[in-house]
Amino acid sequence: MTLSQNEQKKILAVKAANFVEPGMLLGLGTGSTVDILISTLGEKFGDLKTLEIVPTSLDSADKASKLGVKILEPKSDLSPDLLIDGADEVAPDLSMIKGGGGALLWEKIVAHNSKRRIYMADSTKLVRELGHFLLPVEVVSFGHEWTSMALKKIFSAVTIRKTAEGEIFKTNSENLIYDCQIVDDIQIDVLDADLCRIPGVVTSGLFYGFVDILLTVKSENVIEIYEPRDVFW
Ligand code: 5RP
């Protein structure tokens, strides 16, 4: 029997919740797997008042605060003990594409400032090479059409993200997102450096060097991956 994507997300969330202890400061990711984690934590702890979180989106903050979790602002004297987040694609070197939910910037900032990071990726997210999923690139609104012209020199297709209602999507920092098709044989670190050099680009959904533990599913079991291990892809 093969587990559906949702069933996988559920067992990933249950596994991830095992890493959470009362009194922890948690970096809370964004997305449907994290939504399941939030409700799983609710079931595990009952009263979530012992938990404090730094959220990676207003959406996650809203969902967690409904369960009584204390929401903290990022501050210099705070470092989340653990970040738990989802992913859109994960390659064997544990580089990832994130930002399908549009929270890439806050997700990257919280990840960078957390002591330990766990990512949950169901088996559909594992890819030999990044780039099947369009790479989200967050840009400031000012001059974004010029910025998109620079992006078009790097990517084979570049599309501004819109909401289901056809409005231009705005991130939690009031920026815009261009979803970009990565060309073949790209070197992730070179691509990231090229993007950072474009005025107007805030960040991209390329995450590398962030994974401390990857939780994924193989034959109905959750596997913990601590370092690049081709064998699972
Ligand atoms: C949001 C993200 C999410 O982590 C990513 O999109 C995975 O989402 P889901 O758990 O719904 O598959 O990067 O910006």
Side-chain angles (χ1 to χ4, degrees), residues 20-21 23-24 26 41 48-53 69-70:
V20 181
E21 289 159 20
M24 258 189 177
L26 187 67
L41 288 173
L48 285 189
K49 291 196 179 81
T50 59
L51 214 55
E52 296 177 328
I53 67 151
V69 182
K70 190 168 173 200

Side-chain angles (χ1 to χ4, degrees), residues 9 30-34 85-88 98-104 107 125:
K9 287 180 179 186
T30 298
S32 57
T33 319
V34 168
D85 202 351
D88 294 303
K98 286 186 46 56
L104 56 161
E107 287 172 341
K125 311 285 183 63

Side-chain angles (χ1 to χ4, degrees), residues 1-230:
M1 191 185 82
T2 325
L3 296 180
S4 70
Q5 192 177 17
N6 267 346
E7 288 167 333
Q8 290 191 36
K9 287 180 179 186
K10 176 74 186 159
I11 61 170
L12 286 169
V14 169
K15 182 73 179 184
N18 288 338
F19 288 85
V20 181
E21 289 159 20
M24 258 189 177
L25 174 59
L26 187 67
L28 186 66
T30 298
S32 57
T33 319
V34 168
D35 288 348
I36 301 171
L37 172 71
I38 295 170
S39 46
T40 306
L41 288 173
E43 288 157 22
K44 179 178 170 183
F45 289 100
D47 179 359
L48 285 189
K49 291 196 179 81
T50 59
L51 214 55
E52 296 177 328
I53 67 151
V54 177
T56 59
S57 64
L58 299 176
D59 186 48
S60 289
D62 189 45
K63 286 171 177 151
S65 64
K66 283 191 179 125
L67 290 174
V69 182
K70 190 168 173 200
I71 312 292
L72 300 184
E73 296 279 325
K75 288 268 167 56
S76 57
D77 56 347
L78 287 183
S79 172
D81 301 298
L82 177 66
L83 162 90
I84 306 181
D85 202 351
D88 294 303
E89 273 190 354
V90 190
D93 65 357
L94 302 185
S95 59
M96 300 182 285
I97 288 183
K98 286 186 46 56
L104 56 161
L105 178 59
W106 291 19
E107 287 172 341
K108 207 177 258 188
I109 293 172
V110 179
H112 183 78
N113 290 287
S114 294
K115 294 180 186 130
R116 203 164 170 229
R117 295 162 289 242
I118 294 178
Y119 289 91
M120 305 172 288
D122 62 76
S123 60
T124 67
K125 311 285 183 63
L126 304 187
V127 294
R128 296 293 318 168
E129 272 185 35
L130 298 182
H132 305 274
F133 195 88
L134 297 178
L135 177 69
V137 178
E138 182 158 346
V139 307
V140 294
S141 162
F142 179 80
H144 72 89
E145 292 192 9
W146 285 342
T147 308
S148 77
M149 285 161 63
L151 294 176
K152 281 175 188 154
K153 291 183 182 151
I154 298 182
F155 298 103
S156 56
V158 169
T159 314
I160 195 162
R161 189 177 295 186
K162 296 202 173 152
T163 64
E165 294 74 37
E167 304 290 327
I168 289 185
F169 177 88
K170 290 267 183 77
T171 68
N172 286 159
S173 297
E174 294 292 312
N175 294 318
L176 312 182
I177 289 182
Y178 280 92
D179 289 302
C180 304
Q181 181 64 65
I182 294 179
V183 295
D184 288 343
D185 297 328
I186 205 85
Q187 249 184 282
I188 296 302
D189 50 346
V190 174
L191 173 61
D192 199 35
D194 286 347
L195 288 171
C196 290
R197 274 195 290 271
I198 301 173
V201 168
V202 179
T203 195
S204 82
L206 289 174
F207 282 58
Y208 54 96
F210 280 104
V211 177
D212 291 311
I213 307 176
L214 175 71
L215 300 180
T216 190
V217 180
K218 185 91 177 175
S219 312
E220 300 178 29
N221 295 314
V222 177
I223 304 168
E224 298 174 25
I225 299 176
Y226 290 84
E227 55 197 27
R229 286 175 75 184
D230 243 25

